[in-house]
Amino acid sequence: MTTKKILDKTLKEAISFLDKLDTISPNIPFNKTTNQELTEEGLGFKDTLKLFKSQYVPYISGTAGPRYFGYVVGGATPASIAGDWLTSVYDQVSPASQVASVHEKNTVSLLLDFLKLPKSFTGTLVSGATVSNMLNLAIARQWYGLELGLDIAKNGIYGLKKMNILSANAHSSSYKGLSILGIGREALIEVKTQPNSECTDIIDLEEKLKTLNGEPAIVLSSAGTVNTTAFDDFKAIEKLKSKYNFWHHIDGAFGGLASCTDDYSHLVDGWELADSITIDAHKWMNIPYDSAFQFTKRIDLQQQVFQNGNAPYIKDLGDFSLINLTPQASRRWRSLPIWFSLLTYGKKGYKDFIQKNCIQAKVLGDFIKKSEDFELLAEVNLNTVCFKVSDIKKITTQDFLESLNKTGEVFLTPTSYKNNYAIRCAICNWNTTDADIELLIKEMKNIIL
Ligand SMILES: *Cc1c(COP(=O)(O)O)cnc(C)c1O
């Protein structure tokens, strides 16, 4: 089959899926392994697609659709899908091709502008916020070592005693980062949160910094925690730098997008002062997986950590040498889907859908607040709603959630918040309509009766 025929068929399949995405159940179980044998001759594309359509396509959940409210997932804008397709078509790799590297640099610049972050940050693209957090932690670790006269990139962590990592609300992925980097999960000293919130208690943070007696520290804060979308007081944290010596990393995987809005941008006030920031592209920016940003003000330290170094055949592209800035050597043209999406919809297009999701969260939050059947566990301050079934009801929150998900109309995920089994509804799809939220509320009412 010619390339054109293969791609025509693929386009047809893609359109047929996307056209019915809003009717596909957001949660279709699938655990069927097949004993597919690889044939000598190959099936040809037509039969391969046919096989795929019969064996897998019916089980593809509508997680990219408008009523998937679990975790923080998001869909993919049409323009980002186009960019993603073209990424494969061009199949560029740095440093063989300079255009992908330069384009990535330009795209990082676009995002800084979009999120109103200063150009003192540089950034790269990685596969997700987990890797972004890890990469930023690796830069922070290098800074930490140098504060003590140790070059960890060169000599490892052997000269260090247990590092001082402080956080009140680190995402689970940061613990993974600490593990990968040889710092250790247990190195994290838990700072208190404010009462009834997931925000860092600044007084407790200061007390813990004080006990370090001038030793360096890494402080991890949050621009949007996963349970309640809590935002730390970044200005207050930064103010502590006048007295204490620490690296400040902000995980803004989805919450960082608040910065592009009118009504919620105050939530990130002061984040521009941080040393490093994580933002996912594949969540609320609605870019296809795998895609996230990593920002730092210390590209020099990043180069020390990620220097690919001793391969004389690799061309050094200077500023654009992504091989010397990220964990990967060969990597896809990851900026293309983001660039297509940002330029197609512009600042306003993005802002409108982000704000729409926030209003939708508010509508759901208001319904829960007014209802005697449910209890809102945190004020809705962005795009997620954290709630439980009221204690006066016979049905448990867990059973309620199971029934709700069983409808196949919506999908929400559980969490644990302040010792409660709770439900989290994250609204982060460009395609979610007000009618989708009405449908969710209708299903909730049906089950709680
Ligand atoms: C989702 C999330 C992560 C992990 O992101 P991945 O892109 O799934 O690796 C980290 N931090 C926060 C706050 C998140 O919401």
Side-chain angles (χ1 to χ4, degrees):
M1 212 182 258
T2 61
T3 303
K4 181 176 182 320
K5 277 204 176 134
I6 288 179
L7 294 186
D8 279 348
K9 276 193 169 298
T10 307
L11 176 65
K12 219 174 121 201
E13 175 56 28
I15 301 282
S16 109
F17 179 79
L18 291 174
D19 273 352
K20 56 175 195 270
L21 181 53
D22 66 348
T23 65
I24 296 173
S25 166
N27 179 39
I28 304 172
F30 182 66
N31 58 7
K32 209 165 60 185
T33 48
T34 57
N35 294 320
Q36 192 76 54
E37 279 179 20
L38 196 56
T39 60
E40 282 303 322
E41 301 299 329
L43 302 173
F45 184 75
K46 195 171 149 212
D47 286 344
T48 301
L49 182 61
K50 212 163 133 193
L51 189 71
F52 181 68
K53 280 173 75 169
S54 68
Q55 283 190 350
Y56 295 101
V57 173
Y59 306 101
I60 296 178
S61 298
T63 55
R67 286 185 308 284
Y68 186 90
F69 303 120
Y71 308 105
V72 182
V73 168
T77 65
S80 74
I81 294 173
D84 201 61
W85 283 14
L86 290 174
T87 298
S88 299
V89 168
Y90 300 133
D91 195 24
Q92 298 292 287
V93 66
S94 169
S97 157
Q98 260 170 274
V99 67
S101 312
V102 176
H103 186 269
E104 180 162 325
K105 193 172 168 164
N106 293 339
T107 303
V108 164
S109 185
L110 284 178
L111 198 82
L112 288 174
D113 176 34
F114 176 52
L115 295 183
K116 301 169 204 138
L117 281 167
K119 291 285 156 73
S120 47
F121 280 105
T122 59
T124 64
L125 286 170
V126 290
S127 57
T130 299
V131 176
S132 176
N133 279 335
M134 183 197 69
L135 197 155
N136 280 322
L137 271 169
I139 302 168
R141 187 186 59 172
Q142 182 67 2
W143 168 84
Y144 190 108
L146 290 175
E147 289 300 299
L148 298 171
L150 296 166
D151 185 341
I152 292 174
K154 261 196 195 138
N155 302 314
I157 56 166
Y158 309 107
L160 282 183
K161 62 185 184 75
K162 191 168 170 186
M163 289 174 68
N164 305 312
I165 316 291
L166 300 172
S167 185
N169 49 27
H171 186 262
S172 55
S173 61
S174 287
Y175 287 86
K176 190 195 282 196
L178 294 175
S179 159
I180 297 170
L181 293 168
I183 299 171
R185 299 171 200 271
E186 301 259 308
L188 194 139
I189 302 165
E190 274 201 38
V191 176
K192 284 187 193 145
T193 53
Q194 289 168 19
N196 301 319
S197 123
E198 289 181 305
C199 294
T200 304
D201 177 338
I202 303 292
I203 293 168
D204 189 55
L205 174 62
E206 171 151 22
E207 268 166 24
K208 299 224 153 89
L209 284 166
K210 214 182 273 172
T211 62
L212 303 180
N213 292 321
E215 283 178 23
I218 298 172
V219 173
L220 309 177
S221 71
S222 294
T225 55
V226 286
N227 280 335
T228 62
T229 325
F231 284 75
D232 282 320
D233 184 342
F234 305 123
K235 276 191 183 151
I237 294 175
E238 285 294 328
K239 231 171 147 189
L240 293 172
K241 275 191 182 161
S242 64
K243 289 197 244 169
Y244 310 97
N245 186 25
F246 61 91
W247 178 283
H248 180 199
H249 170 68
I250 300 176
D251 182 348
F254 66 97
L257 270 292
S259 186
C260 79
T261 67
D262 300 325
D263 298 344
Y264 305 91
S265 62
H266 64 276
L267 292 169
V268 294
D269 276 354
W271 76 330
E272 69 281 358
L273 301 167
D275 299 289
S276 56
I277 298 179
T278 288
I279 312 256
D280 251 327
H282 55 207
K283 285 183 178 167
W284 210 3
M285 282 187 77
N286 281 243
I287 303 297
Y289 288 88
D290 303 338
S291 193
F293 287 90
Q294 161 277 322
F295 295 116
T296 180
K297 288 179 181 154
R298 294 297 304 272
I299 192 174
D300 57 323
L301 300 178
Q302 188 168 357
Q303 276 161 341
Q304 289 170 23
V305 177
F306 293 97
Q307 192 59 237
N308 198 67
N310 52 6
Y313 58 91
I314 295 175
K315 191 167 53 174
D316 190 349
L317 299 177
D319 254 14
F320 305 122
S321 267
L322 294 168
I323 192 173
N324 293 326
L325 292 170
T326 65
Q328 284 178 281
S330 307
R331 58 211 285 286
R332 72 201 305 261
W333 190 345
R334 201 169 263 135
S335 53
L336 207 51
I338 301 169
W339 189 88
F340 264 84
S341 202
L342 281 176
L343 266 77
T344 299
Y345 307 110
K347 285 184 183 175
K348 186 172 180 310
Y350 259 94
K351 190 165 98 174
D352 285 354
F353 106 71
I354 299 276
Q355 293 193 150
K356 176 188 77 172
N357 284 167
C358 296
I359 293 166
Q360 291 166 337
K362 200 130 202 81
V363 168
L364 178 63
D366 286 347
F367 159 71
I368 290 170
K369 225 189 245 178
K370 284 197 199 114
S371 164
E372 290 191 340
D373 301 331
F374 302 102
E375 187 185 329
L376 192 64
L377 293 174
E379 277 304 313
V380 178
N381 65 346
L382 201 67
N383 66 328
T384 69
V385 183
C386 187
F387 67 102
K388 69 192 259 296
V389 171
S390 160
D391 293 334
I392 59 164
K393 299 304 284 189
K394 282 222 174 72
I395 189 168
T396 64
T397 303
Q398 188 168 2
D399 288 345
F400 168 81
L401 178 60
E402 263 168 38
S403 303
L404 185 63
N405 286 341
K406 244 189 231 149
T407 62
E409 293 286 354
V410 294
F411 189 77
L412 288 75
T413 42
T415 189
S416 169
Y417 180 59
K418 305 273 179 198
N419 296 322
N420 285 306
Y421 182 99
I423 300 172
R424 228 177 99 260
C425 178
I427 304 172
C428 45
N429 192 298
W430 69 281
N431 217 3
T432 300
T433 63
D434 297 350
D436 290 316
I437 303 302
E438 277 166 33
L439 182 68
L440 168 63
I441 291 175
K442 195 182 106 209
E443 296 294 353
M444 285 171 65
K445 282 181 180 163
N446 281 344
I447 290 160
I448 203 72
L449 271 182

